């Protein structure tokens, strides 16, 4: 069946919801910023999370995510525009419900929808008649139609005769000072024209450019493509880095040179690997979906393999900088979050880096100004005696000059310290 072309939508075909009460399931890095954006747009927001500790923290005015300041949260709470609860029955008051829960990988590195299923089961009995239910959780194409809707239909009350459904996968980039909920275009795909109109009306109220797509499956697949694009390009540059290293070519100068081409090229930089809630995870939803449909996404699987080999490569590069006479080298990892500017360690490649270093007999310690505990371990200070240090991310507050002054050898995986003496670039 031929799909209609994408179109940007500025004026929705129906007015905003009669009742401007929004319930958001999940108050993490996606749900809480969405809640604040909706409050700013004049919505009354009920944030729901099953973590009593998180709800207590938010209720006290302390934000659990970097993108929302305590002051912003406290203002929303004080105004009455926002409240947070563990009571899923509160969704009965809402005209719009968004599901913003994590969709991680299981131990087999396959889609784990247990949190999504649990959240939908919890709210389904309380969804009111003519409520719009939107999934913002990233998942494989067909999740809204084949997973969420059947759960709701089986558990909804008899009074909820009509429920509208749409998919609008989150586009959140934690720590980004430029792109946010308002100015980032949002893909919206619904199961029927009325659901689509209502969903577009909602997103028109909180963001500048909602983009209408022809189905929820298109929106779901597009989100996976976005992050798979990044995965395979990072893998390409990581592999290219190894080729340049063995021949003594400065990979960063090569990238800078290629970047002078005004078309057909987009610069990516090498690093320890990939981390976070999206890039290491979303492409594997795509490879799983391919297998369910009798195909193999060989290129994506190869990219995933290459990126998972990078921590080993970085470890070997660092250990090669240590004198052969040292039997148990002491290695300091600088930055363990998955990206600069955040304290989030989900899927951080620093984990695989540490594990491989330890298998090679190294004593490993770490320092990150934004992380207080990592896997049950605490950081050391920059005075920790080490044989080599690995700068994994350009985390604010890492005063690498203190190590340089002591003559510590440093492997810079960020290309941010190339002018410092004693620093070796990846």
């Amino acid at each position: 069946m031929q799909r209609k072309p994408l179109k940007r939508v500025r004026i929705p075909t129906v007015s905003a919801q009669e009742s401007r009460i929004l319930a958001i399931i999940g108050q993490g890095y996606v749900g809480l910023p969405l809640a604040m954006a909706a409050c700013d747009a004049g919505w009354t927001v009920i944030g729901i999370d099953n973590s009593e500790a998180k709800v207590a923290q938010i209720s006290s005015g302390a934000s659990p995510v970097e993108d929302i300041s305590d002051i912003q949260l406290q203002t929303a709470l004080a105004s009455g525009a926002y409240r947070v609860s563990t009571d899923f029955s509160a969704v009965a008051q809402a005209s719009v419900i968004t599901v913003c829960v994590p969709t991680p990988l299981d131990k087999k590195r396959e889609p784990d929808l247990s949190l999504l299923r649990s959240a939908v089961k919890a709210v389904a009995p309380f969804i009111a008649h003519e409520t719009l239910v939107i999934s913002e959780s990233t998942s494989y194409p067909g999740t809204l139609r084949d997973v969420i809707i059947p759960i709701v239909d089986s558990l909804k009350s008899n009074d909820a005769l009509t429920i509208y459904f749409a998919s609008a996968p989150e586009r959140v980039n934690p720590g980004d000072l430029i792109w946010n909920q308002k100015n980032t275009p949002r893909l919206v795909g619904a199961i029927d024209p009325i659901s689509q109109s209502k969903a577009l009306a909602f997103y028109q109220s909180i963001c500048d450019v909602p983009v209408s797509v022809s189905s929820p499956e298109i929106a779901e697949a597009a989100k996976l493509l976005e992050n798979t694009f990044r995965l395979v390009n990072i893998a390409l540059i990581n592999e290219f880095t190894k080729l340049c290293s063995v021949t003594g070519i400065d990979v960063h100068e090569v990238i800078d040179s290629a970047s002078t081409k005004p078309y057909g090229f987009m610069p990516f930089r090498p690093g320890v690997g990939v981390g976070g809630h999206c890039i290491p995870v979303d492409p594997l939803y795509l490879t799983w979906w391919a297998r369910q449909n009798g195909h193999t996404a060989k290129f994506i699987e190869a990219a995933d393999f290459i990126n998972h080999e990078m921590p080993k490569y970085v470890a070997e590069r660092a250990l090669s900088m240590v004198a052969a006479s040292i039997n148990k080298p002491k290695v300091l990892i600088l930055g363990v979050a998955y990206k600069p500017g955040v304290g989030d360690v989900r899927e951080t490649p620093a984990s695989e880096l540490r594990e491989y270093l330890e298998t090679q007999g190294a004593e490993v310690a770490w320092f990150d100004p934004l992380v207080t505990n990592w896997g049950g371990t605490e950081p050391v200070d920059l005075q920790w005696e080490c044989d080599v240090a690995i700068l994994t991310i350009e985390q604010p507050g890492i005063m690498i000059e203190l190590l340089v002054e002591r003559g510590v050898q440093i492997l810079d995986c960020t290309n941010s310290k190339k002018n410092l003496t004693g620093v070796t670039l990846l």
Side-chain angles (χ1 to χ4, degrees), residues 90-158:
V91 303
Q93 306 168 43
S95 59
V96 179
I97 300 171
T98 59
V99 181
C100 304
V101 299
T103 47
L105 298 173
D106 62 18
K107 293 181 179 179
K108 297 180 180 179
R109 303 190 75 223
E110 294 182 347
D112 180 1
L113 299 187
S114 58
L115 296 175
L116 179 64
R117 293 176 186 274
S118 177
V120 176
K121 288 178 181 179
V123 302
F126 307 106
I127 300 175
H129 178 57
E130 294 199 328
T131 296
L132 170 63
V133 177
I134 304 172
S135 174
E136 288 209 3
S137 296
T138 301
S139 189
Y140 55 83
T143 297
L144 176 69
R145 200 182 300 270
D146 300 333
V147 177
I148 294 175
I149 293 177
I151 292 175
V152 172
D153 285 345
S154 67
L155 297 175
K156 69 179 183 179
S157 71
N158 294 331

Side-chain angles (χ1 to χ4, degrees), residues 7 25 78 96-97 99 102 107 178 195 208 225 319 344 346 361:
K7 61 179 180 179
I25 314 304
V96 179
I97 300 171
V99 181
K107 293 181 179 179
I178 298 175
S195 295
D208 295 336
L225 177 60
L319 292 175
D344 195 337
R346 283 175 298 174

